[in-house]
Amino acid sequence: MQFLLAFIVAAPLLGSAAALLPAPPGLKGKSPEQAVLRHGVTVTGVVLAAAVALTLGFDHDTPSRIQATTDISWIQALNVRIHLGVDGISLPLLLMTALLFFLCALYSYFKLPAGPSPKAFVALLLVLESGTLATFAVLDLLLFFLAFEMVLIPMYFLIARWGGAQRQAAAWKFILYTLLGSVVMLLGLLLIGLNSGTFDMVTLASDNGRELSHTTQLLAVLAIGIGLAVKTPMWPLHSWLPDAHTAAPTVGSVLLAGVLLKMGTYGFVRILLPITPDGMATFAPYLGAFAAVGIVYGSLACLALARKGNKGDLKRLIAYSSVGHMGFVLLGIASMTPTGVNGALFANIAHGLITGLLFFLVGALKDRYGTADLDTLAGATGAALYGRAPRLGAFLAFAAVASLGLPGLAGFWGEMLALFGAFDPAEGLSRPAFLTYVAVGAFGTLLTAAYLLIVVRRVCMGDPKAGPELAVADIQRYEFAAWTPLVALTVLAGLWPAVLLGLTDPAVQKLLAGGNS
């Protein structure tokens, strides 16, 4: 188990270096390009297999215990250690990350985005995977920061070199926002480590903020919270996200929504809730307010983009929907209750699966039509995917109803539990304020249903003989292979939520109790 976790974190980095080397003659296949793309599928597949093995070997009877630990002294002067481990909070995120990277590598093998060398594309993809997996596995504050920052450069180049229109501006906006947020976050992490004498997350969580003064906790929550909120993204620090998603290649959008956004909310749960509980209690009502505004703002922006004649880009619409969905995650965290935090973690996984699927589908539409503009796609009477490409239309309709929170699918449980948690927030928090946030969030669910149903009506319905005279290919085999696991997991999590909640709940209970089971 110890070796498996270290292998999961390190293997993509080693695979990235290997991707830049010349392919051995016997492995080239039809071309060197094919060889390096196959290398990407192989490495991500091996990492996924290791993550599955880690999950199977995980002691599910004690998910609150940190397992598969590695703890090695690294920088003695600062008491920084190479400390790895997983519990019921990080294991689902680790597994979902490994799955999404494998599906993206598989998709890219058949549909590589236009751009420079495939070697560079695969190498950057694997560096990105290593950084995201490390973020969910490390248990040292400075290592967390390094892993958190490790993903920025690969994602910048994926957008800037393999993206679409306005890719340079979008990539610069992404890197500037996230770097500025990270600088502030580093100050907060150093403040905690230097005042407590350790950067070890497990030790700090067990201490539960007793070694930190109230002022120190306030400053730490403010500094770290800004950095995490940018990555989440929380309104009003979200404006980099729509541009980045619109310009990014399909797999870049899938990974940005499915994995990178989760790093921010994971930091709130892993660092701020257990280590600075008093500071979080002070800022929780404000975090809840920003979350509630984000829910409605994201939905209204999507409604505006979905309206006929507004030239709304489907990728941009799905990006704004992420602002709303991540608002539910932040609202659950702000409640500081086991119910709310479990809901936030469930919504994290559901959003990664469903929005990853949506970006895959929108990318497929853009490949077929040459545009993601909703007015162009819908034409005069509708794009009529049900008639032209029925399986593609069915997948899109499924992803839309899953995203709007249909009961029985994964999107329902996380948002509902987040609202339940906010309905009865932790002791000391203003219940009238949180009841207001619940009402606003509930209204946001109605707006979400409205814009997603409009998208389904305009893209899936209509007269197949009207509109653009263009033959639309239905789902290809490689697309079916890349998308079906996301559909299956969305249904499984919706019908059997105890699979995920059984992992997260004991770990959340222990985290909120200050390291005591």
Side-chain angles (χ1 to χ4, degrees), residues 319-509:
Y320 272 111
S321 78
S322 292
V323 176
H325 289 304
M326 297 311 287
F328 284 102
V329 176
L330 290 172
L331 183 59
I333 293 170
S335 73
M336 298 185 69
T337 62
T339 302
V341 176
N342 275 303
L345 293 171
F346 199 106
N348 250 350
I349 300 297
H351 179 265
L353 298 172
I354 297 167
T355 307
L357 178 60
L358 277 169
F359 275 117
F360 268 134
L361 292 163
V362 173
L365 278 176
K366 190 171 184 179
D367 289 337
R368 286 159 170 77
Y369 281 98
T371 181
D373 180 79
L374 191 53
D375 287 340
T376 305
L377 288 173
T381 63
L385 277 187
Y386 287 153
R388 295 178 176 181
R391 286 182 295 175
L392 183 58
F395 266 76
L396 183 60
F398 171 84
V401 296
S403 186
L404 64 82
L406 184 74
L409 298 176
F412 171 76
W413 294 106
E415 295 181 3
M416 192 57 59
L417 288 172
L419 290 175
F420 280 154
F423 184 78
D424 189 15
E427 186 178 351
L429 299 181
S430 170
R431 191 161 188 239
F434 275 86
L435 287 177
T436 304
Y437 305 154
V438 170
V440 173
F443 178 62
T445 62
L446 299 178
L447 296 177
T448 301
Y451 71 74
L452 285 169
L453 291 175
I454 290 173
V455 169
V456 170
R457 177 177 60 81
R458 297 194 67 196
V459 178
C460 295
M461 301 178 185
D463 183 0
K465 297 178 181 178
E469 294 296 329
L470 182 66
V472 182
D474 213 338
I475 293 178
Q476 306 297 306
R477 287 183 181 179
Y478 72 90
E479 293 173 329
F480 189 79
W483 303 342
T484 303
L486 301 178
V487 173
L489 289 172
T490 299
V491 174
L492 176 65
L495 295 178
W496 197 10
V499 173
L500 186 54
L501 293 174
L503 279 173
T504 62
D505 185 51
V508 167
Q509 297 276 2

